[in-house]
Amino acid sequence: MQTRHFLQLLGLSALWGASFMFLRIASPLMGPWVLAGLRLALAAATLVVIMRVLRHDWPWTHWRELLLLGALSTTLPFLFYAWAALKLPAGYSALLNTTAVLFGTLASAWFGEDTLTRRKLLGCLCGFVGVALIVRLGPVRPDAATLAAALACITAAACYGVSTPLMKRATTRMQPLAIAAGIHVVSLPLVLPGALWSLPQATFTPGALAAVAVLGIVTSGLAYWMHLRIIRHVTPVAAMSPAFMIPVFGVTWGHVFLGEDLSPGIFAGGALVLLATALVTGFNPLRRPPIATVAP
């Protein structure tokens, strides 16, 4: 992996790390359906404008593929995480989100997009241990509602994991911007009925509207476009490495903006997460690029 791709993945981790905090702000007020609908609508509108400005063609000949990708990468995860945010703290959701790497590693091997190696499996293990050290799990009653919310997070993570190798394949036929815009546009009608049905019960506050604006425009629209551009150049497993770093930034944003204390495990856990990311992505800043040779 090139340094610029690694830094771009690091930036995505910072954005997506903040998304769980925004979900906890908006979902209890708006409800999962309205939140998911507004998030998709804002992301779609943002990407449609960019498509028009850059004069990209829409890939509607691949509408079936876009519908599948949209359901797996936006519709289901947005709904499941928004619903889980009603019950689970943001740290729990961020921790469970790391299972996307495990699902994605297995899916990539199944689809023939990547190979399982001891290094990658060791990286997954280091990542899970590191995240467990970083996230300060508070006392949450293990009742049926909590377990259901945790299962929703794992299901959303599985959708992300399975969709990543499929996204990798899609980038060989479509432009990243067209894919990002297409999946959000086709996903919007899937949640619109539920959003309209739940609209009378939704409460809109300036804080909630600001949170959903960041979720839709930045962490969904622009971030998905950036992620798809990276996927074209790295393996699917490497493209999922932000899942390990997301909790690091989630804890950091909580400390900076909410005044939350840093746990002693943040430093040891952070080191393990960085090691996991390097193992999974194959990133090594000390490795010299191969010297090109010219045949005589």
Side-chain angles (χ1 to χ4, degrees), residues 29-289:
L29 295 171
M30 296 182 179
W33 282 99
V34 174
L35 173 56
L38 285 176
R39 185 178 181 181
L40 282 169
L42 289 171
T46 301
L47 293 168
V48 166
V49 170
I50 297 175
M51 286 279 288
R52 289 184 63 87
V53 170
L54 298 182
R55 297 181 179 180
H56 273 44
D57 295 327
W58 288 90
W60 294 132
T61 54
H62 303 283
W63 68 269
R64 292 182 180 86
E65 185 177 7
L66 291 173
L67 188 61
L68 174 62
L69 292 174
L72 289 175
S73 64
T74 58
T75 306
L76 294 176
F78 287 3
L79 284 172
F80 281 132
Y81 277 126
W83 184 77
L86 299 175
K87 300 292 183 181
L88 290 181
Y92 275 72
S93 298
L95 173 62
L96 294 171
N97 182 68
T98 61
T99 58
V101 180
L102 178 59
F103 288 112
T105 301
L106 297 176
S108 297
W110 178 266
F111 292 131
E113 295 291 338
D114 207 343
T115 56
L116 288 175
T117 63
R118 292 181 180 178
R119 188 199 72 219
K120 292 174 183 177
L121 293 176
L122 178 61
C124 290
L125 178 61
C126 289
F128 295 146
V129 174
V131 169
L133 290 174
I134 292 170
V135 180
R136 298 182 62 184
L137 301 180
V140 176
R141 181 183 301 176
D143 54 14
T146 301
L147 295 176
L151 181 60
C153 287
I154 295 174
T155 304
C159 291
Y160 279 141
V162 173
S163 68
T164 303
L166 298 178
M167 289 281 197
K168 174 73 173 181
R169 290 185 176 182
T171 57
T172 64
R173 296 182 291 273
M174 295 175 275
Q175 292 295 319
L177 177 58
I179 298 173
I183 62 176
H184 284 91
V185 169
V186 300
S187 296
L188 184 57
L190 300 179
V191 301
L192 192 58
L196 293 176
W197 179 266
S198 305
L199 189 60
Q201 291 78 40
T203 301
F204 300 95
T205 65
L209 290 173
V212 75
V214 175
L215 285 169
I217 298 171
V218 182
T219 69
S220 297
L222 299 178
Y224 271 57
W225 178 23
M226 181 187 296
H227 196 223
L228 281 160
R229 293 180 63 180
I230 299 173
I231 288 177
R232 301 183 75 180
H233 304 287
V234 302
T235 67
V237 175
M240 287 181 293
S241 61
F244 284 141
M245 295 182 283
I246 284 172
V248 178
F249 287 101
V251 172
T252 302
W253 299 146
H255 174 69
V256 173
F257 296 107
L258 303 178
E260 298 176 352
D261 295 332
L262 292 177
S263 66
I266 184 69
F267 303 104
L272 280 175
V273 167
L274 293 176
L275 174 61
T277 305
L279 290 171
V280 170
T281 62
F283 173 72
N284 183 358
L286 302 178
R287 182 173 52 200
R288 295 181 179 180

